[in-house]
Amino acid sequence: MNLAILKIGNENQMASFGIINYLTTIVYMLLLGLSFGVQPLFSFNHGAKNHEKVSKFYKFTMMAAFSINLFYFIILYVWGNKIIGFFTNDIFIINETYIGLTIFNLAFFVIGVNVIQSGYYQAINTPEKSNIISIFRSIVFFPIVLFISSKSLGLKGVWLSTLFSEILCLVAWNLLLRKDLKIYLKKVFLFSTN
């Protein structure tokens, strides 16, 4: 992203990206911690063939990720300018960062799903499926989307590139792992009606 910003922007926009990185690291680490923390619960109950508990933990984790993202998004949407003001006094950088941060934060709703799904596959001893998600996220979609969106939409395209690539990743792993997803949804539906 640094190179894309340098090609289409200036040092002020690079400073904005630095601030965005500082602020979004918090929510990313929370999502990663959530994914790592629930893995032993997935793993143990999957091994014990307790699909009802796996389903409950999965739904709880997804809801927790959504809640974290929603809380974080609202905080930064309402008080973002003041929080960004801790990093700089420059009004242009504050405004530019606020726009970028608001757009960038939308991606975390999808990142949460992808990170937890990757952790789920790792926990149930299918690391190849987890690796597929990781490869899609970092190697396949992100560089391509960043290149295309920055060329066509400029700086807003850079901010949107994470959202677009995460959505593509979500769609791709759902298509590739559709059989597993259908089995999972069937189990979730059966246990949620009891």
Side-chain angles (χ1 to χ4, degrees):
M1 282 183 103
N2 290 342
L3 293 174
I5 292 170
L6 283 174
K7 282 184 181 178
I8 59 173
N10 56 40
E11 58 276 349
N12 288 336
Q13 289 151 342
M14 200 67 205
S16 292
F17 180 59
I19 296 168
I20 289 169
N21 267 344
Y22 280 121
L23 294 174
T24 56
T25 297
I26 297 164
V27 72
Y28 187 74
M29 289 298 130
L30 285 170
L31 294 173
L32 214 52
L34 188 63
S35 177
F36 289 157
V38 79
Q39 282 183 24
L41 299 172
F42 285 152
S43 188
F44 175 80
N45 287 291
H46 178 76
K49 300 201 184 318
N50 192 343
H51 299 295
E52 184 176 2
K53 279 196 174 177
V54 172
S55 171
K56 284 181 181 175
F57 287 129
Y58 187 90
K59 285 190 271 188
F60 174 79
T61 307
M62 286 297 186
M63 288 303 300
F66 179 80
S67 300
I68 288 168
N69 287 325
L70 185 62
F71 177 75
Y72 188 75
F73 184 85
I74 290 170
I75 293 290
L76 289 176
Y77 187 78
V78 175
W79 293 290
N81 283 329
K82 290 181 181 174
I83 294 168
I84 295 163
F86 290 125
F87 294 91
T88 182
N89 294 324
D90 187 314
I91 297 299
F92 176 80
I93 294 176
I94 290 172
N95 291 334
E96 191 74 44
T97 305
Y98 179 77
I99 292 166
L101 186 62
T102 303
I103 295 169
F104 201 82
N105 278 340
L106 292 172
F108 282 99
F109 289 99
V110 188
I111 289 171
V113 174
N114 288 337
V115 166
I116 289 164
Q117 191 63 35
S118 179
Y120 167 77
Y121 282 126
Q122 197 165 356
I124 64 167
N125 203 24
T126 53
E128 66 281 352
K129 293 172 183 171
S130 177
N131 290 341
I132 287 170
I133 296 171
S134 297
I135 289 167
F136 280 165
R137 289 186 69 224
S138 57
I139 298 171
V140 176
F141 292 123
F142 184 69
I144 296 167
V145 169
L146 179 60
F147 177 78
I148 293 168
S149 61
S150 65
K151 290 282 185 194
S152 58
L153 300 171
L155 190 62
K156 281 196 175 124
V158 174
W159 304 142
L160 284 165
S161 61
T162 302
L163 175 63
F164 293 158
S165 66
E166 291 290 338
I167 289 171
L168 284 173
C169 176
L170 179 71
V171 170
W173 71 252
N174 272 295
L175 291 174
L176 283 174
L177 307 173
R178 188 181 313 169
K179 182 180 174 188
D180 287 347
L181 191 65
K182 282 183 181 176
I183 292 168
Y184 169 75
L185 289 175
K186 187 175 180 184
K187 288 176 187 171
V188 169
F189 180 73
L190 289 174
F191 293 124
S192 62
T193 55
N194 290 339

